[in-house]
Amino acid sequence: MSYDTQVPPAAPQVMRNGLGTAALILGIIGTLSGLIPLFFWLAGILGLIALILGLVARGRVKRREANNKGVALTGAILGLAALVLSVVGAVITFTAVSDAVDELDKAVKDAAPKDPSASPKGKAPADSASKAPAGDAGKKNKGAGLADGDTSVYDDDVKVTVSDPKPYTPGEYAVGHTKGNTAYQVTVVIENGGKEKFDTALVSLSATAGTDGVASEQIFDDKVGAGFEGTIMPGKKATITVAFDAPKAAKNLTVEVNPGFTYDASQWELKIG
């Protein structure tokens, strides 16, 4: 008696192509991230993972465990490209940050006023009195505040001038004016005599009145109150009119102008009343 023996067919081998596909996807994302310098860190991480997965996938292809040789190779190449782009992006980013810090340091130094002897920190403004008495022409106004029309000149050649105060009649819906007080308007001029543009966003103005130095509210209505806006280019100037509220008996108005947080404020002692 004989028996026929049949050998069952071998099960088809399942290809393990997942690593190659993952390497390709991560390599593409990493390369695209590397094109943006700020994303250098993401490009470096994804590029390294894609390169490793691509090389492992290539090993599977050689062992005939996978059949996506082209996909694995492309993923590894893109991973390497992402790594290169991440290095380039890191260099660009760190260079830009370093340049920005250097520019900020330079701006702070340039903004220091010209007359270091007037302040322990060397930041007091050099005040050139444009209305100095005869015989004192060319002398710098030190100690007391500036007079009307005087100009405060800073180390970066930013110049601030405040005019003689004039009586002002606030509008019907004015804010900052108290009944019984007297309002005065002054003209403030900022001239940029330097080589860099000057941003007026941080310019601040304030005032006090009388011998007691009572705070004078700034008046806002349809005619006055708007501050400096925008940028003053080299060789240009900007002018605004501001009004302050002072007690009726006050004889003097002290106006303070600060061009920015890297500057020292300058004060003008103005006669009123």
Side-chain angles (χ1 to χ4, degrees):
M1 182 179 294
S2 62
Y3 298 93
D4 293 332
T5 303
Q6 295 182 352
V7 179
Q13 184 178 2
V14 178
M15 294 292 100
R16 302 169 65 188
N17 293 331
L19 290 182
T21 302
L24 178 62
I25 294 173
L26 294 178
I28 293 174
I29 298 175
T31 302
L32 293 177
S33 300
L35 297 176
I36 305 175
L38 288 177
F39 288 164
F40 69 89
W41 55 272
L42 180 60
I45 295 174
L46 297 181
L48 179 60
I49 297 175
L51 179 60
I52 294 174
L53 293 182
L55 295 176
V56 174
R58 284 276 295 167
R60 286 186 176 181
V61 171
K62 290 182 179 179
R63 296 192 300 271
R64 298 187 178 182
E65 297 176 1
N67 58 2
N68 60 344
K69 177 180 178 181
V71 172
L73 179 59
T74 303
I77 293 174
L78 289 176
L80 182 60
L83 284 175
V84 174
L85 289 174
S86 71
V87 174
V88 175
V91 172
I92 294 175
T93 301
F94 292 135
T95 300
V97 172
S98 178
D99 290 344
V101 172
D102 291 342
E103 287 296 326
L104 182 59
D105 289 341
K106 180 181 177 182
V108 171
K109 292 178 181 179
D110 289 344
K114 287 183 176 179
D115 189 6
S117 62
S119 171
K121 295 182 179 180
K123 288 188 175 182
D127 302 329
S128 79
S130 60
K131 291 187 178 181
D136 291 335
K139 291 185 178 180
K140 293 182 179 178
N141 192 343
K142 298 181 180 179
L146 301 168
D148 60 90
D150 287 353
T151 300
S152 179
V153 183
Y154 288 86
D155 200 37
D156 57 353
D157 286 328
V158 169
K159 305 173 184 178
V160 183
T161 306
V162 176
S163 71
D164 185 31
K166 298 179 181 179
Y168 178 74
T169 302
E172 182 179 359
Y173 302 103
V175 176
H177 176 61
T178 301
K179 187 176 181 180
N181 285 354
T182 304
Y184 295 91
Q185 70 177 34
V186 296
T187 300
V188 181
V189 180
I190 295 181
E191 181 179 357
N192 184 3
K195 298 180 180 179
E196 303 290 337
K197 61 183 180 180
F198 175 76
D199 188 356
T200 63
L202 297 178
V203 176
S204 62
L205 301 96
S206 62
T208 58
T211 56
D212 295 332
V214 178
S216 295
E217 294 291 335
Q218 185 175 347
I219 297 173
F220 296 87
D221 59 14
D222 58 339
K223 297 180 181 179
V224 297
F228 289 98
E229 296 181 356
T231 300
I232 304 176
M233 301 304 293
K236 302 295 183 180
K237 63 177 64 176
T239 303
I240 64 170
T241 299
V242 293
F244 295 100
D245 202 42
K248 199 167 185 178
K251 299 299 181 181
N252 69 290
L253 181 70
T254 302
V255 176
E256 180 175 289
V257 181
N258 191 334
F261 70 93
T262 59
Y263 296 79
D264 279 351
S266 297
Q267 291 187 345
W268 283 258
E269 296 290 345
L270 311 176
K271 295 181 179 181
I272 59 176

